[in-house]
Amino acid sequence: MRIRIKSRKRRFGASSVFLAIILSAVILIECTFLKFVWELDYITKVNNAVDAQVESIMCEYNRQLFDVYGVYAFTMTAVDDDVYRSALLACGYDKGPQIDLAGYKKIDKKALKDAIGMYYSYRATGIVLIQVADVFSEMIGELIDSDVLDKIKEYTSSPAAGYVTEIIQGAEKISSWFEKAGEKLNIDDFKKELGFFDSLKNKLEKEDNDLKDLSFNISLKDMKPAIQLFDGLIDLHGKLGKSSFKLASHIFEANYFAYNFDCWLKQDIDASINGTAFSDIHEKNSDDSEYILTGLTGNKSLAAVNFLMLQVLTGTNFLRDYSDKEYRSKVDAVAKVISAIIAAVSEGSVDIDYRIITVALIVLIATFKAGKDIQTLRKGERVALYEKDGKKVVTAGYRDFLFLFMQAVPDDLMLERGLLILRRDYGELYKGLTATADTGIKKISITRSYALYR
């Protein structure tokens, strides 16, 4: 009996040891699995918190910047770790690894170019992009096809230029010229023409007084500035070339910077493409579009734009007046008188075709009309580029001229200057960032950027 009892004790003891060994292995496996699950849960929660923080920053893009300029971007004011900490706390982790927000991707010229392309992808149908440019181009082409410029240059290089200058600027009275001409001319034969000339001269002198506040000088003393204006106009036409209008992206950018940035027009009569007042973006009126166009600031930028507008408007006014046969016939009559006076005073040593003087007078008149047009444009009003039967068929505003001239500015310059303006108004702009957090088990790294720039 004792042997049997002893045998039972040994058998039950072996089972206990065996079970203990098995259970210890199971417990070890379970604990290892539980630790793995906990670590996986911890990593997942941290990853989700980091992702939520990045998404929160990206969602804090500047709404006005997007609405007005179509640019998705955030600034440093949107960067913090509040969402990250709140997300961890909501999951039961009052502490977590430090989040590192870095690797910021700035808005660069390429990103701005992409934004402009997207901006016009859904706005282009409501914006006439090349109508004004085509009108200007056609007008300049007609000017180039004519030979009047050669005639004007011929006139300015002749001795007659001095005589006409003195007559127009009023250094001497018309009567004194007739006295000098002596018996060769009879003043009674030219009363009608002289009456038209005097009224025209008085009108120009009055307009000259009205133009004193403009940032360029129009002089009646020398026709050479007018020639330089036309030469500059032709040079501009050569740079613009109709082939450039086929480049859609360039046209979009020119339109974007001409119409969507503040300019010299007063803020109470001007606004961005979507109607946002520029006073809501920055307090003071600014010459942003002029700066993007010329690279100059202040009065220098205004003077440069005025000079360009003077060239174009002089051309449009000249073509309109020169093609008006009735008007030109009156100027022809005056030109014949001046030609006759010059011939008489010079005793026949200077003889110039009256038609050349006609061209010179019409150019001069067109230049003064252009000055008045610029005053109109600066008030936010429009001027006529083409008239038919006394009605304005094609008109243009100040920004239409900016758009025309912007065609000649390289993309890189426009984008670079435009970015400078946006950073001035909105601060440093970012399109994406990288956030990292080291859990001690795994390093989590998340990078995000707006799909617009990918």
Side-chain angles (χ1 to χ4, degrees):
M1 289 295 293
R2 291 180 181 174
I3 295 175
R4 289 179 181 175
I5 294 173
K6 187 176 181 179
S7 176
R8 287 176 185 172
K9 288 182 180 180
R10 287 179 179 176
R11 186 177 61 192
F12 290 127
S15 298
S16 298
V17 171
F18 176 75
L19 289 174
I21 294 172
I22 295 299
L23 289 175
S24 63
V26 171
I27 292 171
L28 178 61
I29 292 172
E30 290 293 333
C31 290
T32 302
F33 178 75
L34 288 174
K35 184 175 183 299
F36 172 76
V37 171
W38 179 86
E39 290 177 348
L40 182 61
D41 179 74
Y42 181 65
I43 293 172
T44 301
K45 294 297 189 296
V46 172
N47 184 84
N48 291 340
V50 173
D51 186 68
Q53 181 64 70
V54 173
E55 290 294 331
S56 173
I57 294 173
M58 299 291 289
C59 288
E60 289 297 320
Y61 64 88
N62 190 298
R63 266 56 175 178
Q64 186 187 72
L65 180 65
F66 174 71
D67 291 340
V68 178
Y69 299 104
V71 176
Y72 274 116
F74 64 89
T75 61
M76 293 304 295
T77 57
V79 177
D80 56 45
D81 64 350
D82 292 347
V83 172
Y84 172 73
R85 293 298 171 190
S86 297
L88 286 180
L89 187 61
C91 295
Y93 299 105
D94 57 347
K95 291 183 180 180
Q98 183 69 32
I99 185 173
D100 181 21
L101 300 170
Y104 297 103
K105 299 178 181 179
K106 293 183 179 180
I107 294 288
D108 53 14
K109 290 187 288 188
K110 182 182 180 306
L112 182 57
K113 188 181 184 73
D114 292 339
I116 294 173
M118 182 61 68
Y119 185 86
Y120 281 96
S121 68
Y122 55 89
R123 283 181 170 91
T125 54
I127 299 174
V128 180
L129 295 178
I130 63 175
Q131 179 180 356
V132 174
D134 281 344
V135 171
F136 282 126
S137 182
E138 182 177 353
M139 179 274 295
I140 299 171
E142 291 179 7
L143 179 64
I144 294 173
D145 292 339
S146 67
D147 61 350
V148 295
L149 295 180
D150 292 334
K151 291 180 179 179
I152 298 174
K153 291 179 180 179
E154 177 186 347
Y155 158 72
T156 57
S157 61
S158 72
Y163 290 104
V164 177
T165 298
E166 290 184 31
I167 292 175
I168 294 176
Q169 75 182 36
E172 298 192 38
K173 299 295 184 181
I174 293 293
S175 58
S176 67
W177 282 88
F178 280 100
E179 291 176 2
K180 288 182 180 181
E183 298 179 355
K184 295 182 179 181
L185 293 175
N186 185 352
I187 192 170
D188 292 332
D189 295 335
F190 302 101
K191 284 184 178 179
K192 183 178 180 181
E193 290 81 2
L194 291 176
F196 175 75
F197 178 81
D198 285 336
S199 64
L200 182 63
K201 186 171 179 296
N202 290 334
K203 183 175 183 295
L204 291 180
E205 288 175 348
K206 181 179 183 302
E207 290 184 351
D208 187 27
N209 292 330
D210 293 340
L211 298 174
K212 297 300 183 183
D213 67 316
L214 291 179
S215 300
F216 54 79
N217 180 46
I218 302 176
S219 175
L220 287 171
K221 298 180 180 179
D222 193 353
M223 286 297 296
K224 289 183 180 179
I227 301 301
Q228 293 173 354
L229 293 179
F230 279 114
D231 284 339
L233 184 61
I234 292 174
D235 181 61
L236 176 64
H237 176 77
K239 290 179 180 179
L240 296 183
K242 289 198 173 182
S243 61
S244 66
F245 294 121
K246 297 178 181 179
L247 303 176
S249 63
H250 182 72
I251 296 175
F252 289 155
E253 289 160 25
N255 188 278
Y256 180 82
F257 292 115
Y259 291 95
N260 221 24
F261 284 72
D262 200 0
C263 69
W264 275 102
L265 294 179
K266 294 181 179 179
Q267 291 183 343
D268 58 347
I269 61 172
D270 190 34
S272 67
I273 289 178
N274 76 336
T276 300
F278 291 110
S279 57
D280 293 340
I281 300 174
H282 47 245
E283 183 177 352
K284 295 182 179 180
N285 203 184
S286 183
D287 59 328
D288 296 338
S289 286
E290 290 86 354
Y291 165 71
I292 295 171
L293 171 64
T294 66
L296 304 172
T297 58
N299 289 330
K300 290 182 178 179
S301 68
L302 178 60
V305 173
N306 281 343
F307 184 76
L308 291 172
M309 288 195 299
L310 187 67
Q311 295 180 60
V312 175
L313 287 169
T314 297
T316 57
N317 286 315
F318 171 81
L319 290 177
R320 185 163 54 242
D321 292 344
Y322 193 79
S323 62
D324 186 336
K325 294 181 180 180
E326 182 179 353
Y327 180 82
R328 194 171 72 213
S329 66
K330 294 180 180 180
V331 180
D332 278 341
V334 174
K336 289 177 182 178
V337 174
I338 294 177
S339 179
I341 292 175
I342 293 173
V345 172
S346 65
E347 298 180 350
S349 62
V350 178
D351 185 18
I352 187 168
D353 189 335
Y354 76 90
R355 288 171 293 186
I356 297 178
I357 298 178
T358 296
V359 171
L361 288 174
I362 293 179
V363 168
L364 195 59
I365 295 167
T367 302
F368 274 89
K369 287 183 177 179
K372 297 294 287 185
D373 286 340
I374 290 175
Q375 284 188 321
T376 300
L377 290 169
R378 287 176 60 187
K379 295 176 183 177
E381 300 172 8
R382 301 178 71 82
V383 297
L385 296 179
Y386 176 69
E387 295 181 1
K388 186 176 182 180
D389 299 329
K391 296 182 180 179
K392 297 179 180 179
V393 179
V394 180
T395 63
Y398 181 73
R399 287 193 179 274
D400 296 325
F401 284 90
L402 293 180
F403 172 48
L404 169 70
F405 303 141
M406 206 76 77
Q407 302 286 337
V409 183
D411 290 356
D412 281 350
L413 281 180
M414 285 193 290
L415 293 169
E416 181 180 338
R417 294 167 183 169
L419 273 176
L420 189 64
I421 299 299
L422 293 178
R423 287 168 181 159
R424 180 202 67 194
D425 289 338
Y426 296 100
E428 194 64 68
L429 303 174
Y430 301 96
K431 62 180 180 179
L433 78 160
T434 298
T436 58
D438 192 350
T439 64
I441 304 167
K442 179 182 179 182
K443 187 175 183 179
I444 297 169
S445 179
I446 294 177
T447 299
R448 289 279 191 281
S449 63
Y450 296 112
L452 172 63
Y453 309 115
R454 294 174 186 172

